[in-house]
Amino acid sequence: MAPADGPVMDGVITPSGSEGVAAALAAAAASGTPVRIRGGASKQTWGNAVTSAVTELRLDGLDRTLEHNVGDLTAAFQAGAPLLRIQRELAGSGQRIALDPPLGVGGAQTATLGGVLATADSGPLRHRYGGPRDLILGITVALSDGTISRAGGKVIKNVAGYDLAKLFTGSYGTLGVILAAHMRLHPLPEATATALAACDDAATLAAGVQRVAAAPLELDCLDIAWRGGRGGILAQVAGAQASRRAERVAALMHSFGLEHVDVTSDDAPLWARQRAGQRSAQRALVRVASRPSRLPELLQATDDAGGTLVGRAALGVSYVELDPDAVGGFLGALPDGAVGVLGDAPPELRAALDPWASSDGPLLQLMRRVKDRFDPAAVCNPGVFVGGL
């Protein structure tokens, strides 16, 4: 039986390998049966609501570590491997994939590498290391004609060929199934420390965070948090001298006029809360892309909607949690040039609103042509993506 907020399941397929996935897609294309691709199911409620009957293609059987080149700082994993397990394995060699998105909602930690790549999900470390598109080196995918394609390489300097890896990253499974990925790794830091400052004035907070972002501080993370007319800045540094460097960041914050400045080396709970703010189990979550200079207006719109906000201060990416019935008004109050995309939300809200705020312009036309090229049978996660792709 299908979950209450999911599509009607016409069957479940759990292939044991890449060839099985490719064969399942080819069979689906031949019969015209839509396929819903599922990894850890931590983001199944994202995108357009899909109510038509589909076959669920699960990637539980593709969860192996394929290789780990410690000296080259690269590794390859099958797409169904849980990101939590991957990070624990790499930590044994003092390394990590510098991706720290939330791993689920309500304590679940089921997110897989393939799901993180397919949705281009990320966390606070995006400030320094970028998102999935910046860390993926190569990819293996299955297409709906039954073929398996590979692109990219195992080394960081490989730039030859069509960039299939970046094309599939963020495509929400609408072009095909990610089977495996080669990832760039980074060393685990010896230590971390976070400088933080509280503020109850949106303009002061915005000005302070812009000045911190412009300073040569080599921060790993620079975030903001806002709730009920009060918020703060969190700036994390990493390395052997993390605490001393964080003190310098704090001194800079104080010189900018920020108050209630503090430093902590026990900062894991702070960043766990920031990541938790990117999901919503009971309410609705809107991801907003906006110019950092419009932050005061965004904070005011958040307050007016009774929401809470966390975000990447220097990147203009924010996550706002609010009641479902406040989403429409909030989207209408966004600053000029800002775009809001609906994330976690009840199915009735996703059905009533366009989660993508898409428009039928040249970009969408290009995306349709790409979809036709890679999935002409239109069986891979149909309807989920922008414009109903």
Side-chain angles (χ1 to χ4, degrees), residues 39-46 102-105 108-112 115 279 344:
S42 63
K43 293 175 277 291
Q44 289 289 96
T45 61
W46 290 14
L103 299 179
V105 179
Q109 296 183 308
T110 58
T112 61
R279 297 290 188 270
D344 299 319

Side-chain angles (χ1 to χ4, degrees), residues 128-160:
R128 178 168 185 173
Y129 297 99
R133 296 179 78 254
D134 303 292
L135 298 173
I136 186 170
L137 301 173
I139 197 168
T140 303
V141 299
L143 304 178
S144 60
D145 63 0
T147 62
I148 295 176
S149 298
R150 297 174 176 84
K154 303 179 183 180
V155 295
I156 294 170
K157 293 184 179 180
N158 188 322
V159 294

Side-chain angles (χ1 to χ4, degrees), residues 109 158 168 245 249 351 389:
Q109 296 183 308
N158 188 322
F168 269 69
R245 291 172 57 209
V249 177
L389 291 177

Side-chain angles (χ1 to χ4, degrees), residues 18-153:
S18 297
E19 292 76 11
V21 173
L25 286 183
S31 63
T33 304
V35 171
R36 178 72 160 167
I37 304 160
R38 170 173 168 161
S42 63
K43 293 175 277 291
Q44 289 289 96
T45 61
W46 290 14
N48 293 314
V50 178
T51 57
S52 58
V54 300
T55 294
E56 186 175 81
L57 177 61
R58 297 183 179 176
L59 302 183
D60 302 26
L62 279 76
D63 65 349
R64 293 188 296 117
T65 300
L66 300 176
E67 59 182 87
H68 180 195
N69 301 307
V70 178
D72 290 336
L73 286 169
T74 64
F77 309 91
Q78 289 185 312
L83 184 58
L84 178 63
R85 194 199 76 201
I86 288 173
Q87 300 288 34
R88 286 174 174 171
E89 288 180 6
L90 295 174
S93 300
Q95 297 177 347
R96 66 178 174 180
I97 302 175
L99 288 173
D100 61 339
L103 299 179
V105 179
Q109 296 183 308
T110 58
T112 61
L113 178 61
V116 170
L117 294 175
T119 56
D121 201 11
S122 61
L125 285 174
R126 182 179 171 184
H127 173 80
R128 178 168 185 173
Y129 297 99
R133 296 179 78 254
D134 303 292
L135 298 173
I136 186 170
L137 301 173
I139 197 168
T140 303
V141 299
L143 304 178
S144 60
D145 63 0
T147 62
I148 295 176
S149 298
R150 297 174 176 84

Side-chain angles (χ1 to χ4, degrees), residues 45 104-106 276-285 320-322 343-345:
T45 61
V105 179
Q278 295 179 217
R279 297 290 188 270
S280 179
Q282 304 297 329
R283 303 173 79 196
L285 199 288
V320 179
E321 185 184 30
L322 63 170
D344 299 319

